[in-house]
């Protein structure tokens, strides 16, 4: 899940926000992974954003962001459920949402890594312009998506199911069965995963001139998510996407995207 969020942030089209790079926020109430993974200090972190959200001048997310070796700007969370759970609840409140949205006239995209679905993150999902559920493609994880009973009206037009790795089911069948209009396949690309999580700066760029499969797929998905609302030309139709190798487009507009992992997902959480 977190690696999918990293890939989307790394591949986000900066032309969509006038050259402003996106910021990923590790808003997982069960605790963060990136601080330990990259050996980052305990501050700044999500706790600092949550602690200052209600103050008259809370500052911006950039003040708490760290630059990862893969080139992604990230507000990381400390490990542990206790402090992170409280921080996510504060972030989901009115003051926290104001910080995420930024001041009037500000440009830029905020991508939230929300971890597992739950009541605590529902306000963040409701406030997001786009919601991406990340799951594997087998019968069991897809059944968990169905059993969760997502409110189609609540998320209508802004919900995408990202299926990571192989699946025995075609995208059209998944979309029809689950009632989720947008279904995107992201390839299992071990080399890109290793590059995104490498401690060596520039490991992703060192992979070569050709865009790796995961990054190419994440780029195509990010470009669609970044489209200004109301530009979807296939309203009411099922859009099943095979994203590996797709090309992006030049887009404009400020976006705030939510990512949430499906219940019962059997992966490692990365």
């Amino acid at each position: 899940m977190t690696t999918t969020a990293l890939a989307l942030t790394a591949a986000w089209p900066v032309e969509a926000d006038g050259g402003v790079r996106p910021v990923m926020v590790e808003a997982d109430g069960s605790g963060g992974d990136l601080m330990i993974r990259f050996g980052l200090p305990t501050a700044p972190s999500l706790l600092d954003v949550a602690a200052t959200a209600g103050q008259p001048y809370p500052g911006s997310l950039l003040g708490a962001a760290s630059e990862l070796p893969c080139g992604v700007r990230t507000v990381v969370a400390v490990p542990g459920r206790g402090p992170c759970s409280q921080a996510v609840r504060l972030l989901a409140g009115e003051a926290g949402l104001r910080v995420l949205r930024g001041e009037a006239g500000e440009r830029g995209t905020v991508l939230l890594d929300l971890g597992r679905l739950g009541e605590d993150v529902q306000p963040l999902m409701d406030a997001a312009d786009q919601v991406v559920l990340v799951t594997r493609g087998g019968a069991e994880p897809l059944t968990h998506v169905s059993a969760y009973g997502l409110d189609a009206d609540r998320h209508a037009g802004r919900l995408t199911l990202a299926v990571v790795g192989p699946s025995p089911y075609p995208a059209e069948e998944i979309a029809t069965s689950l009632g989720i209009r947008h279904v995107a396949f992201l390839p299992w690309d071990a080399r890109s995963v290793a590059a995104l999580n490498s401690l060596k700066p520039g490991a992703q760029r060192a992979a070569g001139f050709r865009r790796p499969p995961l990054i190419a797929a994440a780029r195509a998905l990010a470009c669609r998510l970044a489209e200004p609302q109301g530009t979807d030309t296939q309203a009411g139709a099922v859009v099943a996407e095979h994203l590996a190798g797709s090309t992006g487009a030049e887009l404009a507009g400020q976006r705030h995207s939510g990512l949430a992992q499906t219940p019962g997902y059997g992966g490692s959480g990365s």
Side-chain angles (χ1 to χ4, degrees):
M1 168 62 195
T2 299
T3 298
T4 301
L6 283 175
L8 275 175
T9 309
W12 199 263
V14 293
E15 61 268 23
D17 300 310
V20 178
R21 295 167 58 203
V23 177
M24 172 185 158
V25 178
E26 201 176 18
D28 189 340
S30 63
D33 299 317
L34 299 179
M35 184 177 288
I36 300 300
R37 187 179 302 176
F38 291 102
L40 299 173
T42 56
S45 75
L46 180 71
L47 300 186
D48 299 285
V49 175
T52 60
Q55 297 181 3
Y57 302 99
S60 69
L61 288 175
L62 292 181
S66 301
E67 183 88 12
L68 300 184
C70 61
V72 171
R73 297 193 298 186
T74 309
V75 177
V76 298
V78 300
R81 178 179 296 275
C84 285
S85 179
Q86 177 63 18
V88 169
R89 282 195 291 269
L90 291 172
L91 197 66
E94 184 178 347
L97 291 175
R98 281 200 302 268
V99 174
L100 292 176
R101 293 188 178 106
E103 299 293 334
E106 286 185 337
R107 298 176 67 88
T109 296
V110 177
L111 293 101
L112 305 178
D113 175 6
L114 300 180
R116 295 184 182 274
L117 292 174
E119 293 182 1
D120 289 348
V121 301
Q122 191 61 60
L124 294 170
M125 293 176 63
D126 290 341
D129 290 323
Q130 298 287 343
V131 176
V132 180
L133 300 180
V134 181
T135 186
R136 295 290 180 87
E140 182 179 343
L142 290 173
T143 299
H144 281 296
V145 175
S146 176
Y148 186 78
L150 291 170
D151 189 335
D153 293 332
R154 190 170 191 170
H155 304 292
R158 58 191 184 92
L159 177 63
T160 296
L161 181 68
V163 180
V164 178
S167 175
Y169 310 104
E172 293 82 359
E173 180 179 340
I174 295 173
T176 302
S177 299
L178 300 182
I180 298 177
R181 184 169 165 249
H182 293 283
V183 175
F185 283 116
L186 299 178
W188 183 256
D189 178 6
R191 177 176 291 185
S192 292
V193 171
L196 285 168
N197 292 288
S198 174
L199 297 177
K200 181 180 179 182
Q204 181 182 329
R205 293 188 296 272
F209 292 103
R210 186 175 181 179
R211 190 172 285 162
L214 174 59
I215 301 303
R219 169 74 177 189
L221 176 55
C223 284
R224 184 178 65 73
L225 295 173
E227 290 178 352
Q229 290 181 328
T231 61
D232 195 339
T233 59
Q234 301 187 52
V238 168
V239 179
E241 304 173 62
H242 299 264
L243 294 175
S246 299
T247 57
E250 293 189 2
L251 307 163
Q254 182 177 1
R255 314 298 299 167
H256 301 280
S257 297
L259 287 165
Q261 182 172 294
T262 60
Y265 172 64
S268 62
S270 63

